[in-house]
Amino acid sequence: MGLSLMFVFGMVRSQSLTPAELFPGLFEAVQLSDVFHDNKTFVDAVPKTEPAIILKHYNEQKHLPNFDLKKFVTENFALPVTQGGDFKTDISKGVRKHIDTLWQVLSRKHGSPSKYSSLLSLPNDYIIPGGRFRETYYWDTYFTMLGLQQSHKTKIMENVVGNFAYMIDEYGFIPTGTRTYYLTRSQAPFFSMMLGLLAKDEGSKVITKYQPELLKEYAFWMKGAQKLKTGEAYRNLVGMPGGEILNRNWDDSDKPRQEAYKNDLDSAKKSKQAPKDFYRNVRAAGESGWDFGSRWFDASGKFGSIQTTSIIPVDLNCLLYHLELTIAQSYQLQGNNTQFKLYADKAASRKKAILKYCWSEKDNWFMDYNWKLKRISPQQTIAGVFPLDFNIATAKQAGQMAGVIQTKFLRPWGLATSFKRTGQQWDSPNGWAPMQFMTINGLQNYRQDDLARTIALRWINTNIAVFKQTGKLTEKYNVDDNTLNAGGGEYPQQDGYGWTNGVLLYLLNYYHINTK
């Protein structure tokens, strides 16, 4: 993140220097070496003394014949540890007991991080996903909250929502995760959904309490809308052919991701794009939460063809539709009919645009839209279910989609993410908890209850079967063959795991499944 990015909406970012900015030269040396298998290790490490002192010693020693980079790093930095510590699963006590214990294992106390840590300070205790993900993540948290609510942990839910509101106030938006190196992008905007979840426990006062933060988040996503012209794009916005404005994913930086520095440099060499364009597209995919999958690639299916900033994602725009409706609701609760109508109209316009640009008659499915090519993307993914969740689809469309889900996406152990096998984690044969939940919930909205239940039972059976085999609830699953590990992507399978725990517990309770 360059110094020009230290300002968001005129607000100075506190505690925002990244590892690359703190340790120029040393950062590149470590990330391009084999000191750590995972580039995220170094950016999460905490310096033991002032960066200037560490850099001085590094520059004095690096040319010495016996200089050992790994030894230097381990002497000068406290390395991150795998979350969970010495926790051992007792499979005999069952998956419910396991999840209940994991809420404690994945909980973290708030406080001021070390001065030069990449970890952002939060005002409340928080929950992490697990494994290499040692900080709070934006869209993960909503699905984790589903389980927290089932466990009657309303106080933790309050803390989580308070943390996200704090970040909106502090930074002008909610970053991908609570690290300085994520401060150039947001993630799938589930904040309004989180408020809806908390409101089930605490009433509609939650919606009005956080109205200022709802408006600020909306301002982040819609910045530049007043000046945007048809056929133009600016940051997260695109002026559509019919004069509508829809949203895309974006990142303020066009540099390699610090947490995947070597990967990005190596991948850029295989792409025909200019490096800055390639890095921006990679980072924008990071904002989507789908990092990575064929929905962002061209027909070649190659990673080097990634074109995220050319894509209008159907799921992103459905979430922003919900944000507009929630803001409208907040004004309605206050009796402000003028502002209520303003945001209700914004939502209605977005709904109309989603139906216009993202519905594919040929595929009977909602698809992303390539605004540069002015046509629907050919990549069919499970993200297309989002219009079902927000009642955007017509009854006829929902019926057609149910057929596609039944015949194409449904596998023996849950829903596949796409039909393509690219080696990326957001493609076949992987299935993910959030997408199972969104599909089940969306189908229920249109009374497709039998199919919803079939999906739920298959997913539950997958989670429990793998748990009995391994003692783990993992980040993603192989829905074609649950005896095989889910894989692909930039890092090994992670266990913990926040959103898997949340969705599983929700489904167990909703369908009254008797298991420990």
Side-chain angles (χ1 to χ4, degrees), residues 8 75 96 114 127 256 302 305 379 442 470 499 502:
V8 174
E75 286 176 347
R96 287 181 180 274
S114 173
I127 291 274
K302 302 293 186 182
S305 72
Q379 315 297 358
T470 67
W499 65 18

Side-chain angles (χ1 to χ4, degrees), residues 19 189 278 328 375 387 389 445:
F278 176 76
R375 66 181 186 222
D389 282 277
N445 285 344

Side-chain angles (χ1 to χ4, degrees), residues 79-100:
L79 301 182
V81 296
T82 300
Q83 300 307 307
D86 298 326
F87 171 67
K88 301 293 183 187
T89 304
D90 186 345
I91 297 175
S92 67
K93 292 186 177 179
V95 75
R96 287 181 180 274
K97 177 63 177 175
H98 180 67
I99 292 172
D100 191 56

Side-chain angles (χ1 to χ4, degrees), residues 99-100 103 145-154 505 509:
I99 292 172
D100 191 56
W103 295 142
M145 284 176 65
L146 291 170
L148 291 171
Q149 188 165 58
Q150 294 299 312
S151 298
H152 308 293
K153 297 191 180 296
T154 306
L505 187 58
N509 288 350

Side-chain angles (χ1 to χ4, degrees), residues 33-50:
S33 72
D34 294 321
V35 170
F36 303 113
H37 175 71
D38 186 349
N39 269 185
K40 196 173 186 299
T41 303
F42 182 65
V43 292
D44 290 0
V46 179
K48 295 179 180 179
T49 187
E50 294 286 324

